[in-house]
Amino acid sequence: MTFSVACFAKSILGDGLSVRLRSSGLALLALLLSISGASQSSSPAAAVDELQTLITAASAARDSRDPSKVASANARVLALALRRLANVRVAESAFPQAAALYRSSLAWEDSAETHVGLAICELYANRPDDSLLEANKALLLDPNSARAFNIQGKAWMKKRDYRKAAASLQRSVSLHPEFESAYALGVSLLSLNDAAGKEQAAKVFDTIVASVGDSGSLRVLFGRAYRDAEMQDDSIRELRKAVALDTKTQHAHYFLGLSLLWKNEWTDTPEIRQEFVTELRNYPHDFLANYFLGYLDSNDRRYDEANVHLKAATEIDASWPEPWLFLGLNAYAQGDMANSEKYLRKCIELTGKDESRGNYQIRRAHVTLARILKASGRADEAAPYLVRAREDQKQSLAEAQQSVAGRASDEGSVSPAAVVALLRRQEDQPVAQSPDPVDPAMPLDSATLDRSGLSEEKKKAALDEENQIRLIVATSFSDLATSEAIRRDYSGAVGHYKEAERWNSASADLQRNLGIA
């Protein structure tokens, strides 16, 4: 069995640009692709050739002056071109727009590939049931779609049904051995939490090593999988292999320190702390290494050292509330009430409605801010924060009854389990959905593009591809409208000429043809 290491982009998108790498320190995709230095983007020649073939066929149909042939040929062009643009939107992390484009494509052709694309969007929107529905539709059309089985497995993983996930992913790997789907299969088998699953996962990981070769990045992935399954000894074994292979493997010392800390019942030692220090020395701009060192120093009341790391974390990514929380708590402990209030308000603002984050850690901000407000004579302003803190505490205690590791008191630090949980959250967070309907023909706004994480070069490549597709879509709608006008279907012609105008208002003769229709 051999694996394609440029796997994730290809297995997720099939044709068009690759999915972007997330900026989180837990960038799983970055680790997957770094194993062989694979490129982040992929535009397979076969996909380009297929679209060009359909365009050529549409041109021949136009020359034949047979309106039914023109309509049929351009429907196929529209189906593929809209799917290709949807893939570009996925690369830009614009999943609501991508979903709208996939649905538009399905209006012209019921394609397994398009259902898979829509399943991906539903998964990113944290709707695993809808993702499963689309994956199943894809499998009805193509029972041997490895990509459909892959996404089906991911949806079952999201629903925590790891036995079904393993079955789907095993089918995907058997149909088309891909590195990423094989790794997900190993993770699912470990998550079964039984000896048989663990043994099977080890065999999967061994097969991956035999196929792509050993590396520090690969061992970090395995260590992370064992750690998430709470198999700390196995995680430590894999992470020690990672640093032995290459001491500068990104995340290796960080995860090794985390696993050692967990095994040591969350009591840090000089050896454990050194792992985080080494990670930071190797990667000074790593968010999680800075944040976690700040967290450890804050718990040990080394406030000045903690603040250096926490402020560095906020400069790397100011959108996470956790560093602001500990900056606020540190300032309060040091008697700096003005900065404490500022930092805690920032933490509360960034947390928003996600108050369950980190085992309701926000209650620490509410309690401390209320104390500051009362001490400064603002008791009326403090009262709502105390109410919210009590509500947070009730929710936290209710959840702690189900997970002893999640308990933490108001006076204690945020629970270690909560700290680890928040490190995983960014990967599990659904993509923000606009309450308004999405117009698939609308270009992306600059704010959405800025959030994509793409480099300027990749943004330009995506825009160039989009502009080419927009011309193709506009031309196909225009030719389709003309074929309808020839058949005296003027209502249909008007609608499709207007569609052509939405995609490219500068199309030749478009306004004249629309007026005539």
Side-chain angles (χ1 to χ4, degrees), residues 166-180:
S168 296
L169 291 163
Q170 180 63 65
R171 181 71 172 133
S172 177
V173 170
S174 66
L175 286 165
H176 186 63
E178 289 280 349
F179 178 92
E180 185 268 342

Side-chain angles (χ1 to χ4, degrees), residues 221-509:
L221 282 174
F222 298 161
R224 181 182 183 275
Y226 282 113
R227 188 210 71 195
D228 288 351
E230 298 188 11
M231 300 175 184
Q232 298 308 323
D233 288 338
D234 299 282
S235 175
I236 291 167
R237 180 195 67 231
E238 295 297 328
L239 292 165
R240 290 200 187 281
K241 287 181 182 179
V243 298
L245 286 163
D246 181 1
T247 189
K248 290 192 174 181
T249 300
Q250 191 164 11
H251 309 300
H253 289 283
Y254 170 81
F255 283 127
L256 179 55
L258 200 60
S259 292
L260 289 169
L261 190 63
W262 195 322
K263 185 179 179 182
N264 201 41
E265 298 183 351
W266 296 94
T267 302
D268 62 333
T269 65
E271 177 194 2
I272 291 172
R273 194 174 188 282
Q274 184 58 46
E275 294 298 335
F276 295 107
V277 170
T278 302
E279 182 71 36
L280 195 60
R281 184 170 62 244
N282 289 340
Y283 299 97
H285 300 293
D286 185 84
F287 172 85
L288 290 175
N290 275 288
Y291 164 67
F292 211 83
L293 269 174
Y295 163 78
L296 291 177
D297 286 336
S298 181
N299 278 352
D300 292 338
R301 300 184 180 182
R302 296 190 294 265
Y303 299 122
D304 290 336
E305 294 93 331
N307 290 339
V308 170
H309 299 304
L310 293 169
K311 286 177 180 178
T314 63
E315 290 170 3
I316 296 166
D317 186 350
S319 67
W320 279 39
E322 286 76 22
W324 299 106
L325 170 64
F326 285 102
L327 281 170
L329 296 177
N330 292 353
Y332 183 80
Q334 293 176 298
D336 184 357
M337 299 305 147
N339 274 323
S340 180
E341 180 177 346
K342 180 177 71 174
Y343 295 142
L344 293 172
R345 287 187 184 277
K346 184 72 173 178
C347 171
I348 292 168
E349 174 193 344
L350 291 172
T351 300
K353 295 181 179 179
D354 189 17
E355 295 197 351
S356 64
R357 185 183 182 104
N359 189 38
Y360 294 90
Q361 63 182 3
I362 192 63
R363 71 189 185 281
R364 298 290 314 285
H366 291 151
V367 168
T368 307
L369 182 56
R371 288 171 178 167
I372 293 171
L373 294 172
K374 286 183 69 175
S376 60
R378 292 173 283 173
D380 290 344
E381 190 178 348
Y385 291 106
L386 288 173
V387 171
R388 291 172 67 182
R390 284 192 288 270
E391 289 300 317
D392 292 337
Q393 180 71 357
K394 287 179 184 177
Q395 293 294 331
S396 175
L397 289 174
E399 293 186 9
Q401 291 174 359
Q402 301 175 13
S403 175
V404 175
R407 291 191 180 96
S409 69
D410 274 346
E411 298 302 324
S413 64
V414 175
S415 72
V419 174
V420 175
L422 71 89
L423 303 182
R424 302 175 187 162
R425 291 181 68 88
Q426 188 149 320
E427 293 173 359
D428 294 333
Q429 288 299 302
V431 174
Q433 303 288 312
S434 169
D436 302 319
V438 175
D439 182 355
M442 285 293 292
L444 289 188
D445 58 80
S446 58
T448 302
L449 276 175
D450 288 342
R451 290 193 298 269
S452 71
L454 292 175
S455 67
E456 291 303 317
E457 180 183 0
K458 286 182 170 53
K459 286 181 188 177
K460 184 179 183 302
L463 182 59
D464 288 345
E465 184 165 357
E466 176 179 344
N467 288 337
Q468 292 174 10
I469 294 173
R470 295 183 80 86
L471 290 173
I472 293 168
V473 171
T475 300
S476 286
F477 271 124
S478 182
D479 285 354
L480 179 60
T482 299
S483 75
E484 291 166 327
I486 291 171
R487 288 174 289 174
R488 300 182 183 277
D489 179 7
Y490 299 115
S491 176
V494 167
H496 288 132
Y497 277 132
K498 287 182 176 179
E499 279 294 302
E501 183 180 34
R502 291 173 65 237
W503 287 93
N504 180 25
S505 59
S507 296
D509 298 325

Side-chain angles (χ1 to χ4, degrees), residues 101-160:
L101 285 161
Y102 284 129
R103 291 189 181 97
S104 296
S105 174
L106 287 169
W108 298 103
E109 181 185 27
D110 195 19
S111 160
E113 285 292 304
T114 310
H115 281 294
V116 171
L118 190 52
I120 293 165
C121 293
E122 298 293 5
L123 199 58
Y124 271 93
N126 201 26
R127 292 193 289 262
D129 289 328
D130 292 334
S131 182
L132 284 170
L133 181 64
E134 293 300 328
N136 289 339
K137 289 179 182 178
L139 289 169
L140 285 173
L141 294 167
D142 181 2
N144 292 317
S145 171
R147 296 178 65 236
F149 278 115
N150 185 22
I151 297 305
Q152 185 184 64
K154 301 296 174 48
W156 285 122
M157 289 178 76
K158 182 74 86 170
K159 288 172 68 67
R160 305 292 192 264

Side-chain angles (χ1 to χ4, degrees), residues 45-96:
V48 176
D49 291 345
E50 183 184 0
L51 184 56
Q52 185 57 55
T53 298
L54 293 179
I55 292 170
T56 301
S59 178
R62 187 191 315 120
D63 293 340
S64 75
R65 299 183 181 278
D66 183 333
S68 61
K69 289 183 179 178
V70 171
S72 177
N74 280 285
R76 289 192 291 271
V77 171
L78 286 168
L80 181 55
L82 290 167
R83 188 175 83 212
R84 288 283 307 281
L85 185 54
N87 294 342
V88 174
R89 292 288 182 255
V90 170
E92 296 165 330
S93 295
F95 295 101

